[in-house]
Amino acid sequence: MEAQSTRAEIVAAADDLFYRQGYAQTSFADIAAVVEISRGNFYHHFKSKDEILDAVIAARIERTERVLARWEQAAKQPADCIRSFIRMLLANRGDIKRYGCPVGTLSAELAKLAHESQPGANQLFTLFRTWLAKHFSLLGRDADADALALHILARSQGVASLANAFQDETFIRREVRLMEEWLEGEIEKS
Amino acid sequence: MEAQSTRAEIVAAADDLFYRQGYAQTSFADIAAVVEISRGNFYHHFKSKDEILDAVIAARIERTERVLARWEQAAKQPADCIRSFIRMLLANRGDIKRYGCPVGTLSAELAKLAHESQPGANQLFTLFRTWLAKHFSLLGRDADADALALHILARSQGVASLANAFQDETFIRREVRLMEEWLEGEIEKS
Protein backbone atom coordinates (compact mmCIF):
# COMPACT_ATOMS: atom_id res chain seq x y z
CA MET A 1 0.00 0.00 0.00
CA GLU A 2 2.70 2.45 1.05
CA ALA A 3 4.78 1.69 -2.09
CA GLN A 4 1.74 2.05 -4.31
CA SER A 5 0.87 5.38 -2.79
CA THR A 6 4.45 6.72 -3.15
CA ARG A 7 4.44 5.66 -6.80
CA ALA A 8 1.12 7.44 -7.37
CA GLU A 9 2.47 10.57 -5.65
CA ILE A 10 5.52 10.58 -7.94
CA VAL A 11 3.31 10.25 -11.01
CA ALA A 12 0.97 13.01 -9.82
CA ALA A 13 3.88 15.38 -9.12
CA ALA A 14 5.50 14.62 -12.48
CA ASP A 15 2.16 15.02 -14.29
CA ASP A 16 1.77 18.47 -12.81
CA LEU A 17 5.38 19.56 -13.44
CA PHE A 18 5.47 18.22 -17.02
CA TYR A 19 2.35 20.28 -17.69
CA ARG A 20 3.44 23.46 -15.98
CA GLN A 21 7.12 23.61 -16.98
CA GLY A 22 7.51 21.00 -19.73
CA TYR A 23 9.00 17.52 -19.81
CA ALA A 24 12.56 18.44 -20.87
CA GLN A 25 12.72 21.14 -18.22
CA THR A 26 11.64 18.86 -15.35
CA SER A 27 14.37 16.89 -13.55
CA PHE A 28 14.28 13.89 -11.22
CA ALA A 29 15.30 16.34 -8.49
CA ASP A 30 12.31 18.62 -9.20
CA ILE A 31 9.91 15.70 -8.83
CA ALA A 32 11.64 14.28 -5.74
CA ALA A 33 11.50 17.73 -4.11
CA VAL A 34 7.70 17.82 -4.47
CA VAL A 35 7.17 14.27 -3.20
CA GLU A 36 9.81 14.69 -0.49
CA ILE A 37 11.46 11.28 -0.87
CA SER A 38 15.05 10.17 -0.98
CA ARG A 39 16.92 9.46 -4.20
CA GLY A 40 17.00 5.77 -3.24
CA ASN A 41 13.26 5.52 -2.70
CA PHE A 42 12.69 7.38 -5.97
CA TYR A 43 14.87 4.95 -7.96
CA HIS A 44 13.07 2.05 -6.34
CA HIS A 45 9.95 3.17 -8.27
CA PHE A 46 11.37 4.66 -11.46
CA LYS A 47 14.77 4.14 -13.09
CA SER A 48 14.43 6.92 -15.67
CA LYS A 49 12.43 10.01 -16.55
CA ASP A 50 11.16 8.12 -19.60
CA GLU A 51 9.56 5.54 -17.30
CA ILE A 52 7.85 8.33 -15.38
CA LEU A 53 6.66 9.87 -18.64
CA ASP A 54 4.99 6.62 -19.68
CA ALA A 55 3.30 6.38 -16.27
CA VAL A 56 2.12 10.01 -16.58
CA ILE A 57 0.68 9.34 -20.04
CA ALA A 58 -1.12 6.23 -18.72
CA ALA A 59 -2.52 8.26 -15.81
CA ARG A 60 -3.71 11.01 -18.17
CA ILE A 61 -5.40 8.44 -20.40
CA GLU A 62 -7.23 6.91 -17.43
CA ARG A 63 -8.29 10.35 -16.19
CA THR A 64 -9.50 11.37 -19.64
CA GLU A 65 -11.51 8.15 -19.99
CA ARG A 66 -13.23 8.96 -16.71
CA VAL A 67 -14.03 12.51 -17.89
CA LEU A 68 -15.47 11.22 -21.19
CA ALA A 69 -17.58 8.65 -19.33
CA ARG A 70 -18.91 11.41 -17.04
CA TRP A 71 -19.81 13.60 -20.03
CA GLU A 72 -21.68 10.65 -21.56
CA GLN A 73 -23.58 10.04 -18.35
CA ALA A 74 -24.60 13.70 -18.14
CA ALA A 75 -25.65 13.93 -21.82
CA LYS A 76 -29.30 13.87 -22.84
CA GLN A 77 -28.35 13.52 -26.53
CA PRO A 78 -25.14 12.87 -28.55
CA ALA A 79 -24.66 16.59 -29.30
CA ASP A 80 -24.40 17.27 -25.55
CA CYS A 81 -21.21 15.20 -25.45
CA ILE A 82 -19.65 17.30 -28.19
CA ARG A 83 -20.82 20.45 -26.39
CA SER A 84 -19.08 19.25 -23.21
CA PHE A 85 -15.87 18.83 -25.22
CA ILE A 86 -16.17 22.36 -26.63
CA ARG A 87 -16.91 23.87 -23.23
CA MET A 88 -13.82 22.24 -21.72
CA LEU A 89 -12.01 25.34 -23.06
CA LEU A 90 -14.06 27.44 -20.64
CA ALA A 91 -13.89 25.02 -17.72
CA ASN A 92 -10.09 24.82 -17.93
CA ARG A 93 -9.40 28.36 -19.17
CA GLY A 94 -7.26 29.37 -16.18
CA ASP A 95 -4.72 26.60 -16.76
CA ILE A 96 -4.96 26.88 -20.55
CA LYS A 97 -4.11 30.57 -20.45
CA ARG A 98 -1.04 29.88 -18.30
CA TYR A 99 0.23 26.56 -19.63
CA GLY A 100 -1.67 25.75 -22.84
CA CYS A 101 -3.47 22.47 -23.53
CA PRO A 102 -1.86 19.54 -21.66
CA VAL A 103 -2.44 17.17 -24.59
CA GLY A 104 -1.22 19.48 -27.35
CA THR A 105 1.81 20.88 -25.57
CA LEU A 106 3.12 17.45 -24.50
CA SER A 107 2.63 16.03 -27.99
CA ALA A 108 4.40 19.03 -29.54
CA GLU A 109 7.28 18.84 -27.09
CA LEU A 110 7.82 15.10 -27.60
CA ALA A 111 7.69 15.58 -31.40
CA LYS A 112 10.58 18.04 -31.16
CA LEU A 113 12.52 15.69 -28.90
CA ALA A 114 11.80 12.87 -31.41
CA HIS A 115 10.87 11.04 -28.21
CA GLU A 116 9.82 7.42 -28.45
CA SER A 117 6.81 8.14 -26.23
CA GLN A 118 5.29 10.62 -28.68
CA PRO A 119 2.94 7.95 -30.09
CA GLY A 120 1.86 7.33 -26.47
CA ALA A 121 1.14 11.01 -25.95
CA ASN A 122 -0.82 11.02 -29.21
CA GLN A 123 -3.07 8.33 -27.77
CA LEU A 124 -4.64 11.15 -25.76
CA PHE A 125 -5.49 12.98 -28.97
CA THR A 126 -6.75 9.71 -30.44
CA LEU A 127 -8.94 9.12 -27.39
CA PHE A 128 -10.72 12.45 -27.94
CA ARG A 129 -10.77 11.90 -31.70
CA THR A 130 -12.46 8.49 -31.63
CA TRP A 131 -14.84 9.55 -28.86
CA LEU A 132 -15.91 12.68 -30.77
CA ALA A 133 -16.25 10.65 -33.99
CA LYS A 134 -18.48 8.17 -32.14
CA HIS A 135 -20.81 11.01 -31.15
CA PHE A 136 -20.84 12.52 -34.65
CA SER A 137 -21.80 9.04 -35.90
CA LEU A 138 -24.63 8.97 -33.37
CA LEU A 139 -25.75 12.29 -34.89
CA GLY A 140 -26.10 10.45 -38.20
CA ARG A 141 -22.79 11.64 -39.65
CA ASP A 142 -21.15 8.24 -40.13
CA ALA A 143 -19.58 9.20 -43.46
CA ASP A 144 -17.57 12.15 -42.17
CA ALA A 145 -17.55 11.53 -38.41
CA ASP A 146 -13.76 11.34 -38.22
CA ALA A 147 -13.27 14.51 -40.30
CA LEU A 148 -15.73 16.39 -38.07
CA ALA A 149 -13.97 15.08 -34.95
CA LEU A 150 -10.57 16.22 -36.24
CA HIS A 151 -12.03 19.58 -37.23
CA ILE A 152 -13.38 20.41 -33.78
CA LEU A 153 -10.25 18.98 -32.12
CA ALA A 154 -8.13 21.31 -34.28
CA ARG A 155 -10.36 24.30 -33.51
CA SER A 156 -10.02 23.57 -29.80
CA GLN A 157 -6.23 23.21 -30.07
CA GLY A 158 -5.94 26.50 -31.92
CA VAL A 159 -7.98 28.36 -29.33
CA ALA A 160 -5.85 26.87 -26.53
CA SER A 161 -2.67 27.90 -28.33
CA LEU A 162 -3.70 31.55 -28.79
CA ALA A 163 -5.31 31.72 -25.34
CA ASN A 164 -1.92 30.71 -23.94
CA ALA A 165 -0.15 33.35 -26.04
CA PHE A 166 -2.56 36.25 -25.49
CA GLN A 167 -4.32 35.34 -22.18
CA ASP A 168 -7.50 36.74 -23.70
CA GLU A 169 -10.68 35.51 -22.05
CA THR A 170 -13.00 37.37 -24.47
CA PHE A 171 -11.32 35.56 -27.34
CA ILE A 172 -11.90 32.15 -25.69
CA ARG A 173 -15.59 32.89 -25.07
CA ARG A 174 -16.11 34.17 -28.61
CA GLU A 175 -14.45 31.11 -30.17
CA VAL A 176 -16.40 28.70 -27.95
CA ARG A 177 -19.60 30.37 -29.17
CA LEU A 178 -18.44 30.02 -32.80
CA MET A 179 -17.66 26.33 -32.23
CA GLU A 180 -21.12 25.83 -30.72
CA GLU A 181 -22.70 27.63 -33.70
CA TRP A 182 -20.69 25.44 -36.04
CA LEU A 183 -22.00 22.36 -34.19
CA GLU A 184 -25.61 23.58 -34.49
CA GLY A 185 -25.04 24.03 -38.25
CA GLU A 186 -23.69 20.47 -38.55
CA ILE A 187 -26.63 19.09 -36.54
CA GLU A 188 -29.06 20.82 -38.91
CA LYS A 189 -27.29 19.19 -41.88
CA SER A 190 -27.63 15.74 -40.28
CA MET B 1 32.32 41.69 -41.92
CA GLU B 2 33.75 38.40 -40.67
CA ALA B 3 32.32 38.97 -37.17
CA GLN B 4 28.93 39.95 -38.59
CA SER B 5 28.80 36.82 -40.68
CA THR B 6 29.76 34.56 -37.74
CA ARG B 7 27.06 36.18 -35.66
CA ALA B 8 24.49 35.60 -38.41
CA GLU B 9 25.60 31.98 -38.72
CA ILE B 10 25.12 31.43 -34.97
CA VAL B 11 21.63 32.94 -35.13
CA ALA B 12 20.69 30.86 -38.19
CA ALA B 13 21.92 27.64 -36.55
CA ALA B 14 20.12 28.44 -33.28
CA ASP B 15 16.93 29.37 -35.16
CA ASP B 16 16.94 26.00 -36.88
CA LEU B 17 17.78 24.00 -33.72
CA PHE B 18 15.24 25.85 -31.53
CA TYR B 19 12.60 24.97 -34.11
CA ARG B 20 13.56 21.36 -34.66
CA GLN B 21 14.42 20.29 -31.10
CA GLY B 22 13.09 23.06 -28.88
CA TYR B 23 14.78 25.91 -27.00
CA ALA B 24 15.29 24.15 -23.65
CA GLN B 25 16.75 21.11 -25.36
CA THR B 26 19.32 23.09 -27.39
CA SER B 27 22.68 23.80 -25.74
CA PHE B 28 25.47 26.25 -26.55
CA ALA B 29 27.48 23.17 -27.56
CA ASP B 30 24.81 22.06 -30.06
CA ILE B 31 24.88 25.46 -31.75
CA ALA B 32 28.68 25.74 -31.70
CA ALA B 33 28.92 22.26 -33.27
CA VAL B 34 26.83 23.38 -36.25
CA VAL B 35 28.70 26.66 -36.75
CA GLU B 36 32.07 24.99 -36.07
CA ILE B 37 33.53 27.75 -33.93
CA SER B 38 35.48 27.73 -30.69
CA ARG B 39 33.89 28.37 -27.32
CA GLY B 40 35.83 31.64 -27.11
CA ASN B 41 34.62 32.92 -30.46
CA PHE B 42 31.06 31.91 -29.52
CA TYR B 43 31.17 33.86 -26.24
CA HIS B 44 32.56 36.86 -28.09
CA HIS B 45 29.17 37.08 -29.87
CA PHE B 46 26.72 35.81 -27.23
CA LYS B 47 27.10 35.56 -23.46
CA SER B 48 23.97 33.50 -22.85
CA LYS B 49 21.36 31.36 -24.58
CA ASP B 50 18.81 34.05 -23.70
CA GLU B 51 20.74 36.56 -25.82
CA ILE B 52 20.70 34.12 -28.73
CA LEU B 53 16.97 33.60 -28.25
CA ASP B 54 16.32 37.32 -28.53
CA ALA B 55 18.42 37.47 -31.70
CA VAL B 56 16.52 34.47 -33.13
CA ILE B 57 13.18 36.14 -32.39
CA ALA B 58 14.38 39.37 -34.04
CA ALA B 59 15.54 37.39 -37.10
CA ARG B 60 12.18 35.59 -37.30
CA ILE B 61 10.32 38.89 -37.10
CA GLU B 62 12.40 40.36 -39.93
CA ARG B 63 11.89 37.25 -42.05
CA THR B 64 8.15 37.25 -41.40
CA GLU B 65 7.89 40.93 -42.34
CA ARG B 66 9.58 40.14 -45.63
CA VAL B 67 7.15 37.24 -46.28
CA LEU B 68 4.13 39.43 -45.51
CA ALA B 69 5.46 42.18 -47.81
CA ARG B 70 5.92 39.61 -50.59
CA TRP B 71 2.36 38.34 -50.14
CA GLU B 72 1.08 41.92 -50.39
CA GLN B 73 3.07 42.53 -53.57
CA ALA B 74 1.66 39.36 -55.14
CA ALA B 75 -1.96 40.05 -54.11
CA LYS B 76 -4.49 41.41 -56.60
CA GLN B 77 -7.03 42.08 -53.80
CA PRO B 78 -7.01 42.07 -49.95
CA ALA B 79 -8.52 38.58 -49.79
CA ASP B 80 -5.49 37.20 -51.67
CA CYS B 81 -3.30 38.16 -48.73
CA ILE B 82 -5.49 36.19 -46.34
CA ARG B 83 -5.47 33.28 -48.80
CA SER B 84 -1.65 33.34 -48.82
CA PHE B 85 -1.70 33.12 -45.03
CA ILE B 86 -4.08 30.13 -45.12
CA ARG B 87 -2.05 28.37 -47.81
CA MET B 88 1.15 28.70 -45.75
CA LEU B 89 -0.05 25.48 -44.07
CA LEU B 90 0.36 23.71 -47.42
CA ALA B 91 3.59 25.43 -48.40
CA ASN B 92 5.26 24.49 -45.10
CA ARG B 93 3.47 21.19 -44.48
CA GLY B 94 6.65 19.08 -44.45
CA ASP B 95 8.19 21.01 -41.56
CA ILE B 96 4.84 21.47 -39.81
CA LYS B 97 4.21 17.73 -39.77
CA ARG B 98 7.65 17.09 -38.25
CA TYR B 99 8.12 20.05 -35.91
CA GLY B 100 4.80 21.94 -35.67
CA CYS B 101 4.38 25.67 -36.24
CA PRO B 102 7.58 27.61 -35.38
CA VAL B 103 5.59 30.52 -33.91
CA GLY B 104 3.17 28.46 -31.82
CA THR B 105 5.64 25.91 -30.49
CA LEU B 106 8.17 28.55 -29.39
CA SER B 107 5.47 30.63 -27.70
CA ALA B 108 4.10 27.54 -25.92
CA GLU B 109 7.54 26.43 -24.77
CA LEU B 110 8.48 29.87 -23.43
CA ALA B 111 5.13 30.11 -21.61
CA LYS B 112 5.94 26.88 -19.75
CA LEU B 113 9.43 28.12 -18.95
CA ALA B 114 7.86 31.40 -17.74
CA HIS B 115 10.64 32.86 -19.89
CA GLU B 116 11.03 36.63 -20.01
CA SER B 117 11.26 36.47 -23.81
CA GLN B 118 7.76 35.03 -24.20
CA PRO B 119 6.30 38.48 -24.96
CA GLY B 120 8.99 38.77 -27.65
CA ALA B 121 7.98 35.44 -29.17
CA ASN B 122 4.35 36.58 -29.07
CA GLN B 123 5.32 39.55 -31.24
CA LEU B 124 5.41 37.02 -34.09
CA PHE B 125 1.78 36.12 -33.41
CA THR B 126 0.97 39.82 -33.13
CA LEU B 127 2.66 40.51 -36.45
CA PHE B 128 0.35 38.01 -38.21
CA ARG B 129 -2.63 39.19 -36.17
CA THR B 130 -2.33 42.89 -37.04
CA TRP B 131 -1.45 42.12 -40.66
CA LEU B 132 -4.48 39.83 -41.07
CA ALA B 133 -6.70 42.39 -39.31
CA LYS B 134 -5.47 45.08 -41.71
CA HIS B 135 -6.59 42.95 -44.66
CA PHE B 136 -9.96 42.14 -43.09
CA SER B 137 -10.39 45.91 -42.64
CA LEU B 138 -9.60 46.39 -46.32
CA LEU B 139 -12.38 43.87 -47.01
CA GLY B 140 -14.76 46.27 -45.25
CA ARG B 141 -14.77 44.41 -41.93
CA ASP B 142 -13.36 47.18 -39.74
CA ALA B 143 -15.71 46.38 -36.84
CA ASP B 144 -14.59 42.77 -36.34
CA ALA B 145 -11.26 42.72 -38.21
CA ASP B 146 -9.27 41.72 -35.12
CA ALA B 147 -11.72 38.95 -34.16
CA LEU B 148 -11.60 37.55 -37.70
CA ALA B 149 -7.79 37.72 -37.66
CA LEU B 150 -7.60 35.85 -34.35
CA HIS B 151 -10.12 33.30 -35.61
CA ILE B 152 -8.13 32.35 -38.70
CA LEU B 153 -4.87 32.46 -36.74
CA ALA B 154 -6.37 30.00 -34.22
CA ARG B 155 -7.68 27.73 -37.00
CA SER B 156 -4.22 27.69 -38.55
CA GLN B 157 -2.56 26.93 -35.19
CA GLY B 158 -4.97 24.07 -34.54
CA VAL B 159 -4.31 22.50 -37.92
CA ALA B 160 -0.54 22.77 -37.37
CA SER B 161 -0.88 21.16 -33.96
CA LEU B 162 -2.83 18.11 -35.20
CA ALA B 163 -0.76 17.85 -38.39
CA ASN B 164 2.28 17.55 -36.13
CA ALA B 165 0.57 14.88 -34.00
CA PHE B 166 -0.97 12.79 -36.80
CA GLN B 167 1.23 13.63 -39.85
CA ASP B 168 -1.93 13.52 -41.93
CA GLU B 169 -1.68 15.34 -45.24
CA THR B 170 -5.33 14.74 -46.21
CA PHE B 171 -6.39 16.42 -42.99
CA ILE B 172 -4.25 19.51 -43.76
CA ARG B 173 -5.68 19.83 -47.28
CA ARG B 174 -9.25 19.39 -46.06
CA GLU B 175 -8.86 22.02 -43.33
CA VAL B 176 -7.19 24.48 -45.71
CA ARG B 177 -10.21 24.08 -48.03
CA LEU B 178 -12.57 24.69 -45.07
CA MET B 179 -10.62 27.81 -44.10
CA GLU B 180 -10.84 29.06 -47.69
CA GLU B 181 -14.59 28.36 -47.73
CA TRP B 182 -14.93 30.22 -44.45
CA LEU B 183 -13.09 33.18 -45.99
CA GLU B 184 -15.39 33.19 -49.04
CA GLY B 185 -18.37 33.24 -46.67
CA GLU B 186 -16.93 36.20 -44.76
CA ILE B 187 -16.20 38.05 -48.04
CA GLU B 188 -19.83 37.58 -49.12
CA LYS B 189 -20.99 39.05 -45.81
CA SER B 190 -18.78 42.12 -46.33
Side-chain angles (χ1 to χ4, degrees), chain A residues 19-22 24-25 99 105 111-113 122 125-126 147 151 154-155 157-158 161-162 164-166 174-175 178, chain B residues 19-22 24-25 99 105 111-113 122 125-126 147 151 154-155 157-158 161-162 164-166 174-175:
Chain A
Y19 178 41
R20 290 194 290 109
Q21 63 189 40
Q25 199 63 13
Y99 314 115
T105 54
K112 281 198 200 291
L113 301 176
N122 277 351
F125 267 139
T126 302
H151 176 79
R155 293 272 289 263
Q157 278 300 301
S161 169
L162 288 199
N164 182 221
F166 291 121
R174 189 173 58 229
E175 288 293 325
L178 286 173
Chain B
Y19 178 40
R20 289 194 289 111
Q21 63 188 39
Q25 198 64 12
Y99 313 115
T105 55
K112 280 197 199 294
L113 300 176
N122 277 352
F125 267 139
T126 303
H151 176 79
R155 293 272 289 264
Q157 278 299 302
S161 169
L162 289 199
N164 183 221
F166 291 122
R174 190 173 58 228
E175 287 293 325

Side-chain angles (χ1 to χ4, degrees), chain B residues 22-160:
Chain B
Y23 170 73
Q25 198 64 12
T26 301
S27 66
F28 257 51
D30 292 336
I31 304 167
V34 172
V35 186
E36 293 180 337
I37 54 173
S38 71
R39 208 173 173 80
N41 195 2
F42 199 121
Y43 279 102
H44 169 71
H45 292 284
F46 292 102
K47 303 287 175 271
S48 70
K49 214 169 76 171
D50 285 357
E51 277 182 27
I52 305 177
L53 176 61
D54 289 339
V56 164
I57 291 170
R60 288 188 184 184
I61 287 173
E62 272 183 39
R63 200 162 60 231
T64 304
E65 284 170 341
R66 283 198 300 273
V67 168
L68 298 179
R70 208 165 58 228
W71 287 349
E72 286 186 351
Q73 278 155 17
K76 294 201 175 64
Q77 43 193 328
D80 288 341
C81 287
I82 304 169
R83 285 189 193 102
S84 291
F85 169 79
I86 292 171
R87 299 185 70 83
M88 183 170 51
L89 283 167
L90 291 176
N92 299 344
R93 66 189 183 280
D95 281 346
I96 289 171
K97 284 194 286 184
R98 288 172 72 185
Y99 313 115
C101 165
V103 180
T105 55
L106 181 63
S107 175
E109 183 180 6
L110 297 184
K112 280 197 199 294
L113 300 176
H115 197 287
E116 62 182 12
S117 291
Q118 203 224 348
N122 277 352
Q123 276 185 268
L124 280 155
F125 267 139
T126 303
L127 194 57
F128 281 109
R129 175 182 181 170
T130 52
W131 186 85
L132 286 164
K134 179 176 83 177
H135 291 284
F136 279 112
S137 282
L138 289 172
L139 281 173
R141 296 296 290 268
D142 247 341
D144 56 354
D146 183 57
L148 293 167
L150 276 180
H151 176 79
I152 202 69
L153 202 48
R155 293 272 289 264
S156 176
Q157 278 299 302
V159 175

Side-chain angles (χ1 to χ4, degrees), chain B residues 2-15 35 45-46 59:
Chain B
E2 182 64 18
Q4 264 312 91
S5 128
T6 303
R7 191 183 190 280
E9 276 179 52
I10 293 171
V11 173
D15 190 344
V35 186
H45 292 284
F46 292 102

